[in-house]
Amino acid sequence: MLNRPVTLVVAAVVLALEGLTAVVLGGYAAVETVIGKPADVSSSIVVSAFGIGIGAALIWVAWGVLGAARWSRAPGVVTQIFALPVAVSLVQSAQTVPGVLLIVVALAGLVALLAPATTRAMIGD
């Protein structure tokens, strides 16, 4: 698909950024598990693996969205919906900047995934 709608590209970029962030944070947790002194090593390993795994999955979904694969829309939308309560929780716990950034990114992703141009590209007329 050479003529991708802008909304499709925006949705893919949002998902890829979220995925990359999860991979980086999971990797950071893994490094801290190895070089630090975690209170619970097994929990730290699980959190690291979860972050890296979810991040890789989101990057895969972003790739699907960029290629207008029908299967990729639902996990993309669900991810954005789940990100909103996390963002609100961040704002309520005095982490305003990351919370507001996540709200903006999640809303942008949701709007881009549900835009009519994205629907036409993924499902057809």
Side-chain angles (χ1 to χ4, degrees):
M1 173 177 270
L2 294 174
N3 295 328
R4 290 182 182 99
V6 173
T7 56
L8 195 68
V9 175
V10 168
V13 167
V14 165
L15 286 162
L17 286 173
E18 291 169 341
L20 184 60
T21 300
V23 167
V24 167
L25 291 175
Y28 175 77
V31 168
E32 286 298 312
T33 298
V34 172
I35 65 172
K37 294 184 179 166
D40 184 5
V41 174
S42 35
S43 292
S44 295
I45 292 170
V46 170
V47 166
S48 301
F50 185 76
I52 293 169
I54 291 297
L58 283 174
I59 292 169
W60 179 56
V61 170
W63 186 257
V65 168
L66 190 60
R70 293 177 85 171
W71 62 264
S72 63
R73 187 174 185 176
V77 169
V78 169
T79 298
Q80 304 320 306
I81 291 171
F82 283 162
L84 291 172
V86 171
V88 170
S89 176
L90 286 170
V91 170
Q92 290 174 341
S93 64
Q95 297 182 30
T96 309
V97 173
V100 169
L101 284 174
L102 185 54
I103 288 170
V104 169
V105 168
L107 287 176
L110 198 56
V111 167
L113 282 164
L114 297 176
T118 301
T119 301
R120 279 191 301 277
M122 290 185 147
I123 298 174
D125 294 325

